[in-house]
Amino acid sequence: MGPTDSPTAARGRLLARLALGFLAGALVALVAVRGRGGLLIVVVGVACLVVAAAGTWWVVSQHGTLRVVGALLTLAAPAAVLVLYAWADLWPAALAAVLLLGAAGLCARAALRVTGRPQGMRAVPSRAPLHPVLIMNPKSGGGKVERFGLVEKAEALGARVVLLDPSTRTDVGAIARRAVADGADLLGVAGGDGTQALVAAVAAEHDLPFLVISAGTRNHFAMDLGLDRDAPDRCLDALSDGEELRVDLGTVDGRPFVNTVSFGVYAQIVQSPEYRDAKAGATLDALPDLLHGYTGHLVDALTATGRLEAQQALLISNNPYAAPTPAALAARRPRLDLGTLGVVGIHVSNAAQAAQVALRGARAPGLSVLTSPEVTVVSDTDVIPIAVDGEALRLPTPVTCGIRPGALRVLVPRNRPGTPTAAPPLDWRELLSLALGRPRSAPATSDRADG
């Protein structure tokens, strides 16, 4: 370690060198195989990925027999690779190469994480609220409010609970504003992400802390805040032992959203009556017809950095996902305070393009990934179906999505089991520079104040 090296820099350089060493070891393991065995290992492995990707595409884009064939291909490809490696007596070298590549990847990400920018959101101390008001939907998440005794536990902590009537359409925003007028110093919601967003907008308007209770079905917002989605009652710990996060709030034509606004294929699925009762089944049943010769309206997205044209599906998120893919809704956002929208556009119409997306990710021609503080969506129709945090809407075009940086104060428990940590992008050129003692990006602190 040089005289000016910090312990962090030295550790990062050591991890970078280990990563490159493991990578070299994997190459040696392949080259050392007799004859053309090493080349065969690589070719067969890549072929396995292509076949599995094509099979996955058939699962989501076909009905009946072809869907079954796709599922079999997805499962059979890796099994066939193992059999071939064993038959050719290549499995020891293949196993060694895979293990060494895995170790290289782990060390590389650890090196970049150690020396890069802090990835997580920072919390600040917060006083316990005196007059919290919590709005609860008793039917949300299949009845989690009753199952976890949320009303009783919240009231025992001094909160006033407003139970929604599932049999009638309720203006939760009006309920939240009335609670503020009556002296509430905190607003919270036990319900789906759509309801969370409407109440969060009122909390942001009055600069009040907002409490998320993970009583919805998927709870994407709660997941990205690090909350326990399996035990929504633990979210109530924030009332007595909490801290605050400053997060952004998305808007679509003035309507708030906390997760994602979707256009095209996904939005059309959400419009179907079956979606509300069986989301996963309705999505799987509808995808083949929508992706195979999609008959809906294609959309264009105008962003700060360019234009995406004729997109089959478009996902705009409140802050970007860590691993943007066509299934970004299943991914995580490690930060909700970057002050920008994530944009994922896709136009995929055949198995070859799907395989490229699966293998190349954001570098595939069918997938476009970018960020922008504002996105305007246009189409060849006057009104377009969209999905806002999973809720079906129809809005006149053009549709404008924006973001309000740091608009929302979220009260969270100090102990959050799922606090996300972002894996930095795997940049081998930066890793090489780091290993040589010439890091291309120096460590930096967050540009958001800690309070």
Side-chain angles (χ1 to χ4, degrees):
M1 184 169 68
T4 60
D5 265 355
S6 70
T8 297
R11 183 183 173 205
R13 188 168 62 251
L14 174 61
L15 287 168
R17 290 174 177 175
L18 284 173
L20 294 175
F22 284 129
L23 181 61
L27 294 176
V28 169
L30 294 175
V31 171
V33 181
R34 68 180 182 276
R36 297 184 178 179
L39 179 61
L40 180 62
I41 290 174
V42 174
V43 171
V44 170
V46 171
C48 167
L49 292 176
V50 172
V51 171
T56 301
W57 172 253
W58 282 4
V59 169
V60 300
S61 67
Q62 301 290 341
H63 288 295
T65 303
L66 282 178
R67 174 173 284 176
V68 174
V69 171
L72 292 175
L73 281 176
T74 303
L75 296 174
V81 168
L82 293 177
V83 171
L84 181 58
Y85 284 166
W87 175 79
D89 198 25
L90 295 173
W91 69 265
L95 179 61
V98 169
L99 292 177
L100 287 167
L101 284 174
L106 290 174
C107 289
R109 291 195 181 278
L112 295 173
R113 184 181 290 113
V114 164
T115 59
R117 294 177 67 88
Q119 298 291 325
M121 295 180 287
R122 296 186 181 184
V124 298
S126 176
R127 290 181 296 180
L130 299 177
H131 306 290
V133 174
L134 307 181
I135 300 170
M136 299 190 182
N137 181 351
K139 294 298 183 182
S140 187
K144 288 183 179 178
V145 169
E146 180 179 357
R147 192 158 69 248
F148 287 90
L150 297 181
V151 174
E152 296 78 11
K153 292 177 180 178
E155 290 177 341
L157 290 168
R160 179 167 73 87
V161 176
V162 178
L163 272 180
L164 300 179
D165 183 355
S167 64
T168 62
R169 188 176 182 86
T170 306
D171 186 344
V172 293
I175 294 175
R177 289 187 178 87
R178 191 158 51 246
V180 174
D182 291 339
D185 61 354
L186 174 140
L187 296 174
V189 175
D193 288 326
T195 305
Q196 297 275 2
L198 294 174
V199 179
V202 177
E205 177 186 344
H206 295 276
D207 196 31
L208 293 179
F210 177 65
L211 178 65
V212 177
I213 304 172
S214 55
T217 303
R218 285 174 171 76
N219 302 293
H220 285 293
F221 191 42
M223 175 178 69
D224 293 334
L225 290 169
L227 301 175
D228 192 335
R229 295 190 294 169
D230 297 323
D233 51 330
R234 292 187 61 182
C235 300
L236 296 172
D237 293 345
L239 294 175
S240 56
D241 184 24
E243 56 188 12
E244 276 191 22
L245 298 171
R246 272 279 184 183
V247 306
D248 307 330
L249 192 61
T251 62
V252 51
D253 278 5
R255 178 190 176 99
F257 70 93
V258 293
N259 293 322
T260 306
V261 179
S262 307
F263 302 81
V265 170
Y266 184 74
Q268 194 162 327
I269 292 172
V270 174
Q271 301 287 325
S272 67
E274 297 84 4
Y275 178 80
R276 194 53 47 196
D277 296 325
K279 295 183 179 181
T283 300
L284 192 60
D285 288 339
L287 272 174
D289 296 330
L290 292 172
L291 292 174
H292 239 337
Y294 175 57
T295 57
H297 294 280
L298 300 178
V299 297
D300 295 351
L302 285 69
T303 74
T305 55
R307 180 184 183 115
L308 303 181
E309 296 185 342
Q311 298 299 293
Q312 195 176 19
L314 185 68
L315 305 176
I316 299 175
S317 58
N318 172 18
N319 283 265
Y321 285 91
T325 69
L329 292 178
R332 297 193 67 166
R333 294 164 296 173
R335 299 285 296 267
L336 293 169
D337 61 349
L338 298 176
T340 189
L341 298 169
V343 183
V344 179
I346 183 172
H347 193 121
V348 173
S349 57
N350 56 57
Q353 291 180 6
Q356 287 191 63
V357 170
L359 294 173
R360 301 183 62 195
R363 295 185 296 276
L367 188 66
S368 301
V369 180
L370 50 87
T371 60
S372 178
E374 184 174 284
V375 180
T376 300
V377 180
V378 297
S379 184
D380 60 358
T381 181
D382 294 334
V383 178
I384 190 171
I386 74 170
V388 181
D389 286 337
E391 301 295 328
L393 295 176
R394 300 182 72 87
L395 292 179
T397 55
V399 178
T400 301
C401 299
I403 195 158
R404 298 171 55 193
L408 187 62
R409 300 164 54 195
V410 181
L411 185 69
V412 293
R414 292 183 188 277
N415 181 21
R416 302 189 301 285
T419 302
T421 56
L426 193 53
D427 188 332
W428 288 99
R429 288 180 299 175
E430 181 169 351
L431 195 77
L432 179 59
S433 297
L434 180 61
L436 296 175
R438 300 192 302 269
R440 295 162 59 204
S441 60
T445 57
S446 173
D447 49 10
R448 289 272 174 102
D450 212 4

